[in-house]
Amino acid sequence: DVFALACKIVAVSKKMEHILLAIGCPREKLVYNVYGAQPKFETVVPTYAKKQFIGIGRFTNKKAPYYTIMAFKDVVSKHPDAKLLLAGNGELLNTCENLVKQYHLENNVQFLGVITPEKYSILLAESLAFVQHSITAKNGDMEGTPLAVLEASIAGLPVIATHHAGIPDVIIDGETGLLCDEHDVSAMTTNMLTILDNVALAKTMGQAGKQHILMHYSMQRHIDALQRILTSAIKGA
């Protein structure tokens, strides 16, 4: 019924586009249009000054923050002064706090709670990379294209994440970030160590990511595309 009533259907990831087609969305109605990051993140100037990873998002099954902590545990064995900052709230927060205690990572992992975009910008500027181990949850819940990934990349940080939903649409593996398969904790550890051991690579990937997002996934491009969709719908009404 929705497909019949709608003039256009907007998909925010290639994965979502494929799923919509599979359940009967007419191809001529389907538009791929990823949202953009707030322009303020374009002005972030990373210093890569700290051995620090930053992640932000709800503590939910599809974001699997426990996997990020598990990957970071083995990073600390080689870089005992490395830090992991996790911002956000959600039903898995207490579980993740317990995991940090179990691994004796209290001096390395910090839970920031809900933070403002301004605070996030400051943390991006001083960190080495953004981290998020997104997965498809048991109930089928998955990401669209995580906004925090877009924000981190347009700010100039490499993104360490998974081949999940819209992430590989916007992050070029090996060029603007490092991606691993869902549930592959050891591969995520390797990717974190790669960035820690090669700050020059982090800078190169971060700068490449900033240009890539500015060119293909800016907020202005997103709004312009929506405007074209709405204008077309009005003319066709």
Side-chain angles (χ1 to χ4, degrees):
D1 291 343
V2 171
F3 294 154
L5 288 169
C7 295
K8 294 292 182 182
I9 306 291
V10 178
V12 298
S13 73
K14 292 295 185 182
K15 178 72 172 180
M16 186 181 292
E17 190 176 49
H18 294 154
I19 292 172
L20 286 165
L21 287 170
I23 62 175
C25 180
R27 182 175 291 277
E28 66 273 12
K29 288 189 175 184
L30 193 56
V31 178
Y32 171 67
N33 187 25
V34 180
Y35 29 75
Q38 294 182 47
K40 70 177 62 181
F41 290 101
E42 299 174 20
T43 65
V44 174
V45 180
T47 62
Y48 313 96
K50 297 183 179 181
K51 297 174 69 172
Q52 174 176 293
F53 298 105
I54 175 71
I56 182 171
R58 289 174 294 120
F59 283 70
T60 58
N61 284 315
K62 68 180 176 183
K63 294 185 184 293
Y66 48 86
Y67 275 154
T68 300
I69 293 168
M70 291 169 67
F72 183 68
K73 170 180 67 72
D74 291 331
V75 168
V76 172
S77 65
K78 295 185 178 180
H79 292 270
D81 55 341
K83 303 289 184 182
L84 171 64
L85 307 183
L86 295 175
N89 207 340
E91 63 267 24
L92 293 179
L93 176 57
N94 185 238
T95 298
C96 289
E97 290 171 335
N98 289 340
L99 196 61
V100 166
K101 290 178 181 177
Q102 174 65 28
Y103 290 149
H104 306 293
L105 294 173
E106 294 94 331
N107 293 328
N108 301 92
V109 179
Q110 184 178 357
F111 296 99
L112 305 177
V114 177
I115 62 175
T116 64
E118 291 73 22
K119 177 65 174 177
Y120 183 34
S121 295
I122 292 169
L123 294 174
L124 286 170
E126 66 182 29
S127 298
L128 276 181
F130 175 89
V131 290
Q132 184 168 307
H133 196 113
S134 295
I135 62 171
T136 301
K138 187 177 180 180
N139 65 359
D141 190 22
M142 64 176 66
E143 306 273 12
T145 297
L147 183 58
V149 166
L150 291 165
E151 291 168 343
S153 194
I154 206 168
L157 256 65
V159 170
I160 297 173
T162 50
H163 293 284
H164 170 85
I167 296 174
D169 296 343
V170 299
I171 302 300
I172 305 172
D173 188 21
E175 293 185 27
T176 70
L178 297 170
L179 305 180
C180 64
D181 291 337
E182 295 181 26
H183 309 285
D184 194 341
V185 173
S186 62
M188 189 174 195
T189 298
T190 298
N191 290 341
M192 287 183 177
L193 288 171
T194 296
I195 293 298
L196 273 170
D197 293 336
N198 192 343
V199 177
L201 177 64
K203 292 178 180 179
T204 299
M205 284 187 166
Q207 290 162 3
K210 190 180 196 77
Q211 294 307 310
H212 178 68
I213 302 299
L214 279 170
M215 184 176 296
H216 300 287
Y217 300 102
S218 68
M219 178 65 83
Q220 190 58 55
R221 181 215 53 81
H222 170 66
I223 292 172
D224 289 345
L226 285 179
Q227 186 62 52
R228 288 193 296 272
I229 293 168
L230 293 170
T231 300
S232 174
I234 291 170
K235 288 180 178 178

